[in-house]
Amino acid sequence: MDCSKSGRKYTFLDLGRVNVPYAARLQDACLRVIAGGRYIGGREVEAFEDELAAFCGCRYAVGTGNGLDALRLILLSYIALGVMSPGDEVIVPANTYIATFLAVTHAGLVSVPVDPDVATYNIDVNKIADAVTPRTRAVIPVHLYGRPCAMEDIRDIAEHHGLKVIEDNAQAIGAFVGAERTGHLGDAAAFSFYPTKNLGALGNAGAVTTDDAKLADMVRALGNYGGNDRHDKVYCGYNSRLDPIQAAMLRIKLQDIDELNNGRRAIASVYGGEIVNKHVILPDYGAAGHVWHQYVVRVDNREHFRNYMSRNGVETDVHYPVPPHMQSCYRAAGLGRFPIAEALAREVVSLPVNPACTSLDDARDISEIINAYVC
Ligand SMILES: *Cc1c(COP(=O)(O)O)cnc(C)c1O
């Protein structure tokens, strides 16, 4: 039964619809990979790596199995290169997807969370220096929801304390600060091409970008069982490579990423211009370079708001209801309390923002529905 007033349904995200415009080209590329007979590594992967590096303005891009592995391989490579040692500390934002924390844990390092800035949802740069100890080796800014972090400040702090800057760019491909793309704003960056991301594969996929040749070589070696010689592995490595079939899919969609991100920006500006309701706090619009992986508002009574939206046919989602430090796997670690991250986790709601599923008219309708909301 459809109980919305208009009888319309506003889908949050339908991945099938995202790929409809690409279906014929994706099929052609699949057939090309099948006929090519090369199912690990090879031409498609190399071409995608070159195209991604060029897109970000980076010297190197290395494909990985997924975004978590991209982060993990960067940290493990720094350990293998002697830049960090197990037990060293890495500063992370307290509100992020749990992958950021897990990569640190898996590398034998210690996550030191820092509360976000409530206006930008990103790591609060004024709190980073206080979290630095003699064991701190790196900071991982996450461009949450597609909004670039205050990278100039972060780089200054990192330089002052001798820290590596590792961007978690899983949510922000194509975002920029001035003339520079995210993914080229630190020492290394991790990308995820999980199907729901702004550039989504048809399965798991990820990548590392950097200008550091030694780091790029190490990431490639560690992701390929510990070396590129088939029978003499230098390190006890891992198996985490970008599949050619996914590389072929990503090559097609990478060509359109700026246009796809512009579609998200257009929806975000409708919301930003039209939603006026004292119970609904809109995200800070930020600079031009935001790519709106999510459009996240804050409300006091989230259940009430989401039920209201749902009754009016609008699907919403929550990114994320439980911060990593409060999830069961980290409870025993006693990472501390992060009041802003914890408050955001109670209040945030994501509105539909994917242009394949939400037209500008839909965004206007959704804005009107929100304007009629009473708490
Ligand atoms: C999606 C995501 C990841 C992990 O990516 P996977 O490809 O799912 O492993 C890491 N960090 C953030 C912020 C993410 O949103």
Side-chain angles (χ1 to χ4, degrees), residues 66-68 71 96-97 99-100 142 168 170-171 192 194 197 205 320:
N66 54 64
L68 170 60
L71 280 170
T96 177
Y97 183 60
T100 319
V142 179
D168 182 336
Q171 302 190 0
S192 166
Y194 183 79
K197 302 290 158 100
Y320 301 93

Side-chain angles (χ1 to χ4, degrees), residues 22-148:
Y22 297 97
R25 280 181 288 159
L26 295 174
Q27 282 171 26
D28 283 351
C30 272
L31 294 175
R32 193 172 72 226
V33 173
I34 293 167
R38 179 84 193 249
Y39 307 127
I40 296 285
R43 202 189 138 260
E44 293 290 343
V45 174
E46 285 162 21
F48 175 69
E49 289 174 342
D50 290 347
E51 287 156 12
L52 180 67
F55 176 79
C56 297
C58 290
R59 248 184 257 162
Y60 309 101
V62 181
T64 61
N66 54 64
L68 170 60
D69 281 355
L71 280 170
R72 184 161 47 184
L73 287 169
I74 292 169
L75 293 166
L76 289 165
S77 293
Y78 277 133
I79 292 173
L81 291 166
V83 175
M84 300 176 191
S85 314
D88 282 344
E89 295 171 5
V90 177
I91 293 174
V92 295
N95 70 324
T96 177
Y97 183 60
I98 197 167
T100 319
F101 279 56
L102 290 176
V104 174
T105 304
H106 292 166
L109 301 163
V110 178
S111 291
V112 176
V114 166
D115 233 350
D117 173 347
V118 74
T120 66
Y121 303 132
N122 276 333
I123 191 164
D124 186 340
V125 291
N126 297 315
K127 293 180 183 153
I128 294 176
D130 285 344
V132 174
T133 76
R135 290 218 71 171
T136 312
R137 294 290 173 270
V139 53
I140 307 184
V142 179
H143 307 302
L144 199 70
Y145 311 142
R147 183 192 167 112

Side-chain angles (χ1 to χ4, degrees), residues 97-363:
Y97 183 60
I98 197 167
T100 319
F101 279 56
L102 290 176
V104 174
T105 304
H106 292 166
L109 301 163
V110 178
S111 291
V112 176
V114 166
D115 233 350
D117 173 347
V118 74
T120 66
Y121 303 132
N122 276 333
I123 191 164
D124 186 340
V125 291
N126 297 315
K127 293 180 183 153
I128 294 176
D130 285 344
V132 174
T133 76
R135 290 218 71 171
T136 312
R137 294 290 173 270
V139 53
I140 307 184
V142 179
H143 307 302
L144 199 70
Y145 311 142
R147 183 192 167 112
C149 294
M151 292 305 292
E152 223 172 290
D153 294 340
I154 291 172
R155 276 199 307 261
D156 284 349
I157 298 164
E159 201 174 320
H160 184 77
H161 295 281
L163 314 179
K164 293 291 183 191
V165 177
I166 302 164
E167 298 174 80
D168 182 336
N169 198 33
Q171 302 190 0
I173 186 167
F176 52 85
V177 177
E180 293 281 331
R181 300 265 191 191
T182 57
H184 193 219
L185 299 172
D187 296 290
F191 289 68
S192 166
F193 307 113
Y194 183 79
T196 61
K197 302 290 158 100
N198 289 31
L199 177 61
L202 275 65
N204 279 304
V208 169
T209 56
T210 183
D211 283 343
D212 179 342
K214 285 206 182 84
L215 183 70
D217 286 348
M218 188 62 83
V219 167
R220 197 177 289 290
L222 289 183
N224 189 26
Y225 287 107
N228 297 321
D229 187 300
R230 256 179 90 193
H231 303 296
D232 185 27
K233 299 300 180 188
V234 185
Y235 310 98
C236 297
Y238 304 82
N239 174 2
S240 184
R241 301 171 290 211
L242 173 63
D243 290 337
I245 196 107
Q246 299 303 342
M249 307 294 98
L250 291 167
R251 289 184 68 195
I252 293 165
K253 294 171 78 179
L254 177 63
Q255 294 171 19
D256 284 359
I257 189 67
D258 282 330
E259 192 189 323
L260 294 169
N261 285 338
N262 280 334
R264 291 171 181 271
R265 289 188 181 109
I267 294 169
S269 41
V270 170
Y271 289 148
E274 309 228 338
I275 299 174
V276 186
N277 184 321
K278 67 173 193 292
H279 303 297
V280 180
I281 302 170
L282 301 187
D284 188 69
Y285 199 83
H290 198 319
V291 291
W292 300 102
H293 174 59
Q294 301 296 352
Y295 190 93
V296 176
V297 302
R298 286 160 51 211
V299 293
D300 266 340
N301 189 342
R302 180 164 64 202
E303 269 318 290
H304 187 258
F305 177 77
R306 292 192 73 201
N307 286 337
Y308 165 83
M309 294 298 278
S310 167
R311 277 199 311 279
N312 284 282
V314 185
E315 287 182 356
T316 58
D317 204 339
V318 176
H319 302 89
Y320 301 93
V322 187
H325 71 277
M326 295 180 78
Q327 296 193 28
S328 301
C329 59
Y330 283 119
R331 222 169 277 149
L335 297 174
R337 297 305 298 266
F338 302 93
I340 296 175
E342 292 169 25
L344 287 174
R346 287 189 297 271
E347 296 173 359
V348 291
V349 184
S350 307
L351 304 182
V353 74
N354 190 305
C357 304
T358 306
S359 68
L360 295 184
D361 280 338
D362 291 340

